[in-house]
């Protein structure tokens, strides 16, 4: 039993979220296995993004949010008053739907900002190495190594998104949340990010949110299908895509809803 | 219709430019009697701090220096006050009191400067004398060499700078406040997602809007360097070659003009016009420098 517990990096128990009067997430229970790509898929407005933002507590920046339930990161409860949200966010990185590098900072500083503020490095040399490491992991190093000090906004959309991934990786997070990371990219940029996800799960657990079932089928190890704030079905990706138990899931993965 | 409006608005712009050049032209023409006395005389006026109506010797260096020092103090005060107020209003205050707070700060712009001057003279001046200048000089006497000894009334370049800072701060606050509000939410999310605390995020936001802050300060500087009545009431109006000793009373170009125009005769008139020209040029040059900087950093 103990071993099973430890194989999950994140466990969500009876999570409910209300935004204003709207009951956005209803009784969410999820166990996320370590070093996998765990995809939360569902149509627009089903609460996927809210779920991600609840995990790293970015949701607390919004107005009128009420949350009940428990979230455990490696058996430590992270969504109570005793845990500071910034400590949670240090361990759970996030990549957003629209690439959002900090446009006023250089490529280097975008990656270095998190480690600098969180004092993950002791010297400039260590920081340089960490930045290089993160950019390499995000398949971006070769494209930017000669212009690290140019502003981040000169990069293309796909490069900007990989920069955001590097920025999150530089924090050495345990989990990387990815909120529809390819929806604003062209096909080339998208497929690069997808390749990257499969590579990255060796070092970090990825929780991906997408409304493209085909993307989910390409990259996922596990899938949860969410509809109208409820988890309809969850399991290994292969099973969900070949033998969905719920008719709603089947409709979604075959492209009939969504 | 749209074309007519276009011409109308273009005309407005052209008129404003013509007006600026007319003012500049008048200032230059009216100062010509000074220019006719030769280059060395102009240099003398610019660099000496002697104001002697008996022997008709006038230098305005003390007033130029006074203006710059007063404006500098004002900007430092306004910078501190406006950034902290703007951050408090947008990021910290509960949303219920946000609108009333904004309104209160904005009302500061509507107060006439003579009212600021009166308040400055009767409230701020004695307050700064008793609670800032006196304790500072008393506890660290060596500061007297740098800051000068304060006058019994408390009027000083420092007092004028603080008052001016308070006067221009509502203006700077509203510009910075709007800039903070315009920071895209995804930038905030990015900063928070990196594990930054609220204060660290705010620090980065301020860095992010640094150009807007600069623009706000530029506009504030324009008002600070030219503000007349309130400054004239608290600056002391004393010819002070050591204007950098900020606790001593002094003069600014604007307060010099306001105080001396009525008893001006002979060569003093073109010299006062020349002082006005200098004042105009300071504002103009600072505007151009900052506009160039902003242009460069926005189009990089």
């Amino acid at each position: 039993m103990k071993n099973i517990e430890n194989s999950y990096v994140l466990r969500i128990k009876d999570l409910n979220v209300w935004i204003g009067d709207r009951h956005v997430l209803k009784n969410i229970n999820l166990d996320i296995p370590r070093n996998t790509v765990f995809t939360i898929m569902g149509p627009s407005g089903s609460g996927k993004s809210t779920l991600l933002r609840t995990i790293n507590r970015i949701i607390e920046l919004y107005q009128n949010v009420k949350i009940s339930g428990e979230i455990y990161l490696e058996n430590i409860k992270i969504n109570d008053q005793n845990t500071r949200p910034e400590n949670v966010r240090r361990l759970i990185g996030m990549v957003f739907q629209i690439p959002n590098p900090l446009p006023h900072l250089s490529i280097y500083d975008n990656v270095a900002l998190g480690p600098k503020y969180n004092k993950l490095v002791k010297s400039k040399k260590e920081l340089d190495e960490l930045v290089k490491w993160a950019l390499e992991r995000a398949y971006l190093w070769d494209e930017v190594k000669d212009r690290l000090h140019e502003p981040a906004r000169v990069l293309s959309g796909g490069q900007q998104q990989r920069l955001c991934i590097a920025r999150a990786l530089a924090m050495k997070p345990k989990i990387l949340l990815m909120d529809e990371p390819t929806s604003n990219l062209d096909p080339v940029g998208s497929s690069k990010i997808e390749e990257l996800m499969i590579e990255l799960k060796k070092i970090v657990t990825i929780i991906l949110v997408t409304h493209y079932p085909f993307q989910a089928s390409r990259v996922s190890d596990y899938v949860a299908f969410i509809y109208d704030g409820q988890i309809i079905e969850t399991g290994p990706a292969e099973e969900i895509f070949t033998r969905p138990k719920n008719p709603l899931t089947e409709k979604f993965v075959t492209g009939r809803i969504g | 219709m749209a074309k007519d409006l276009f011409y109308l608005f273009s005309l407005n712009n052209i008129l404003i430019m013509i007006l600026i050049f007319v003012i500049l032209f008048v200032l230059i023409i009216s100062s010509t009697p000074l220019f006719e006395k030769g280059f060395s005389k102009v240099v003398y006026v610019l660099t000496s701090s002697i104001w002697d109506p008996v022997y008709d010797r006038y230098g305005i260096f003390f007033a130029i220096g006074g203006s710059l020092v007063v404006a500098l103090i004002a900007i430092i005060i306004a910078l501190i006050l406006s950034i902290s107020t703007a951050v408090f209003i947008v990021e910290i205050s509960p949303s219920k009191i946000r609108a009333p707070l904004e309104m209160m700060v904005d009302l500061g712009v509507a107060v006439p400067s003579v009212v600021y001057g009166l308040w400055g003279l009767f409230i701020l001046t004695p307050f700064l004398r008793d609670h800032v200048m006196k304790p500072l000089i008393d506890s660290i006497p060596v500061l007297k060499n740098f800051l000068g000894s304060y006058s019994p009334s408390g009027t000083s370049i420092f007092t004028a700078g603080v008052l001016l800072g308070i006067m221009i701060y509502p203006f700077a606050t509203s510009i910075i406040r709007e800039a903070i509000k315009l920071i895209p939410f995804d930038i905030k999310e990015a900063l928070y997602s990196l594990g930054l605390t609220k204060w660290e995020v705010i620090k980065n936001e301020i860095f992010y809007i640094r150009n807007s802050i600069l623009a706000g300060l530029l506009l504030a500087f324009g008002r600070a360097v030219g503000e007349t009545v309130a400054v004239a009431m608290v600056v002391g109006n004393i010819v002070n070659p050591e204007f950098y000793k900020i606790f001593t009373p002094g003069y600014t170009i604007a307060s010099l003009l306001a105080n001396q125009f009525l008893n001006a005769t002979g060569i003093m008139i073109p010299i006062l016009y020349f002082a006005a020209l200098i004042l105009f040029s300071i504002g103009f040059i600072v505007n151009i420098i900052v506009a160039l900087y902003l242009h460069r950093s926005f189009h990089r």
Side-chain angles (χ1 to χ4, degrees), chain A residues 92-240:
Chain A
I92 304 180
M94 185 155 183
V95 176
F96 297 84
Q97 190 170 354
I98 298 165
N100 60 351
L102 302 164
H104 61 301
L105 296 183
S106 67
I107 294 167
Y108 180 94
D109 285 333
N110 261 278
V111 183
L113 186 78
K116 247 194 261 175
Y117 273 98
N118 295 302
K119 303 190 177 59
L120 300 186
V121 288
K122 289 185 199 74
S123 63
K124 175 85 174 70
K125 190 164 163 277
E126 241 180 281
L127 185 63
D128 287 347
E129 279 164 12
L130 181 60
V131 169
K132 184 176 180 222
W133 176 86
L135 286 168
E136 279 172 348
R137 288 300 157 292
Y139 293 169
L140 194 59
W141 175 253
D142 290 332
E143 289 161 57
V144 301
K145 64 182 176 205
D146 300 322
R147 45 178 180 152
L148 286 175
H149 294 286
E150 280 179 34
R153 61 175 173 269
V154 303
L155 298 175
S156 74
Q159 288 173 326
Q160 289 191 6
Q161 193 63 302
R162 277 179 280 145
L163 179 63
C164 293
I165 293 173
R167 180 176 72 187
L169 288 175
M171 303 283 294
K172 300 263 175 105
K174 295 190 186 300
I175 298 176
L176 185 59
L177 308 174
M178 300 180 97
D179 185 5
E180 309 209 18
T182 62
S183 62
N184 281 287
L185 304 182
D186 58 36
V188 179
S190 299
S191 64
K192 265 192 187 159
I193 303 263
E194 286 178 13
E195 280 169 43
L196 186 55
M197 282 188 242
I198 293 166
E199 191 60 33
L200 282 178
K201 71 181 178 190
K202 291 174 192 159
I203 54 170
V204 63
T205 307
I206 294 174
I207 304 180
L208 169 72
V209 152
T210 181
H211 64 264
Y212 304 115
F214 303 112
Q215 178 171 62
S217 74
R218 283 194 294 268
V219 298
S220 319
D221 299 302
Y222 295 87
V223 175
F225 174 58
I226 184 170
Y227 190 84
D228 194 25
Q230 298 178 65
I231 301 282
I232 304 293
E233 193 171 348
T234 176
E238 215 189 287
E239 236 167 71
I240 300 271

Side-chain angles (χ1 to χ4, degrees), chain A residues 53 62 89 100 104 118 171, chain B residues 186 189 192 194-195 204 208:
Chain A
R53 283 173 165 75
Y62 294 73
R89 295 179 198 132
N100 60 351
H104 61 301
N118 295 302
M171 303 283 294
Chain B
D186 60 332
E189 276 192 323
Y192 276 109
L194 291 171
N204 276 278
Y208 180 77

